Structure formats: C-alpha cells, structure tokens
C-alpha cells in the first residue's frame, strides 16, 4: 500500500524508501515506466527506475536494479526530479547510454553501466514527456512548447 507520505520498493531484498510520496497535491515516487536493458548490451540484466521528489520535493533518484537478484547495481541522486521515463541509446558495439530529462528542463546523457553523467544541456523549461530515440537522434518535447531533435555523436 502506497497511501500516505511514505512508500517503498523492495526488489529481491534491496529496498528504497520513498519519502514525501505526495507533496502539496503533486505526487512523487515512481511516475514513469522503467527502462529494461536490452539483451547483448551493457544494460542487459538491468531495470532502471526514476523516482521523483525523493528524498525531498525537488530532488530525485535514478536506480539500476539487477533483474535476477533485485540488488541495486548503481544509484544516482538527481538535483532535480523527473516525471519522464529514461530512454536508452545503444551503439552497434553494445555500449549503452541513458537519456534523462528533468523538471527544470535539463537533458542529461548518462553512462549506462554506472549512471555517471557524461553530458548535460538545458532545454529551457520543464520536460514531462519521455524522450524518444530513433537511431542516433533523441527527440524531446518540453512544457515550454519546444520539440527538439538532438543528434548523439
């Protein structure tokens, strides 16, 4: 039961407590679909969740769980929370990168196997929609009415 102000995710023994699951009428917690790693890539065997408004109303988490054991493989605190789902960009060699958008309009590219930030840019306003990836292009729509295509090189 996730009613009230605290909730938890328990994946095979690993757990994350979500504080402030409902703040001032804006819900937090897991608001997006997880990213399931693609077979034959660095993300194989991982499922990645973003968790909004945790541990406080402006921050968030992105967490990679092992799909077999439920153990946390890596966890990264985010300065701003996200409501959009993470998306993956894969190279032909199986390298994996995660595209992450946040509540103040930042677009970040993360190293898939570690969660380390490789690059970031501001889109100018809140990004609520999930990014779409087609070949080497990321498509982002912002709350400010912008739709952008960003080529990954």
């Amino acid at each position: 039961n996730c009613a009230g102000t605290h909730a938890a995710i328990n994946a095979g023994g690993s757990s994350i407590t979500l504080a402030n699951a409902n703040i001032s009428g804006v819900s937090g917690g897991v608001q997006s679909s997880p990213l399931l790693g693609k077979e034959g890539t660095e993300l194989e065997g991982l499922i990645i969740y973003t968790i909004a408004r945790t541990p406080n109303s402006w921050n968030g988490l992105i967490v990679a769980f092992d799909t077999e054991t439920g153990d946390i493989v890596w966890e990264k605190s985010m300065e701003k929370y996200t409501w959009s789902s993470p998306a993956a960009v894969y190279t032909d060699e199986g390298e994996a990168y995660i595209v992450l958008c946040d509540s103040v309009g930042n677009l970040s590219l993360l190293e898939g196997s570690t969660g380390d930030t490789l690059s970031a840019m501001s889109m100018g306003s809140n990004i609520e929609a999930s990014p779409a990836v087609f070949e080497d292009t990321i498509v982002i729509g912002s709350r400010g009415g912008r739709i952008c295509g960003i080529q990954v090189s």
Side-chain angles (χ1 to χ4, degrees):
N1 182 353
C2 290
T5 60
H6 292 83
I9 296 174
N10 188 326
S14 294
S15 64
I16 297 173
T17 300
L18 308 178
N20 302 319
N22 191 347
I23 302 168
S24 303
V26 179
S27 62
V30 178
Q31 296 274 310
S32 61
S33 300
L35 169 62
L36 184 60
K38 183 177 175 181
E39 189 175 329
T41 71
E42 291 176 339
L43 295 182
E44 181 175 357
L46 297 180
I47 188 165
I48 300 164
Y49 284 90
T50 57
I51 304 166
R53 306 193 105 181
T54 301
N56 60 51
S57 63
W58 291 106
N59 301 119
L61 296 171
I62 181 167
V63 184
F65 291 97
D66 183 294
T67 57
E68 294 286 323
T69 66
D71 292 339
I72 295 173
V73 176
W74 56 259
E75 177 180 338
K76 177 181 179 67
S77 295
M78 299 183 311
E79 188 174 322
K80 302 299 178 190
Y81 64 87
T82 181
W83 285 332
S84 66
S85 300
V89 177
Y90 299 103
T91 68
D92 292 338
E93 294 77 30
E95 295 171 317
Y97 303 94
I98 298 168
V99 180
L100 188 62
C101 302
D102 71 23
S103 60
V104 296
N106 295 315
L107 167 69
S108 298
L109 186 67
L110 309 180
E111 166 56 51
S113 60
T114 65
D116 292 338
T117 301
L118 300 174
S119 184
M121 63 187 293
S122 175
M123 301 302 294
S125 64
N126 185 351
I127 302 169
E128 294 175 354
S130 300
V133 177
F134 177 73
E135 295 178 355
D136 65 348
T137 303
I138 302 165
V139 180
I140 304 292
S142 75
R143 192 170 194 176
R146 295 178 66 196
I147 298 175
C148 301
I150 300 146
Q151 192 168 22
V152 179
S153 57

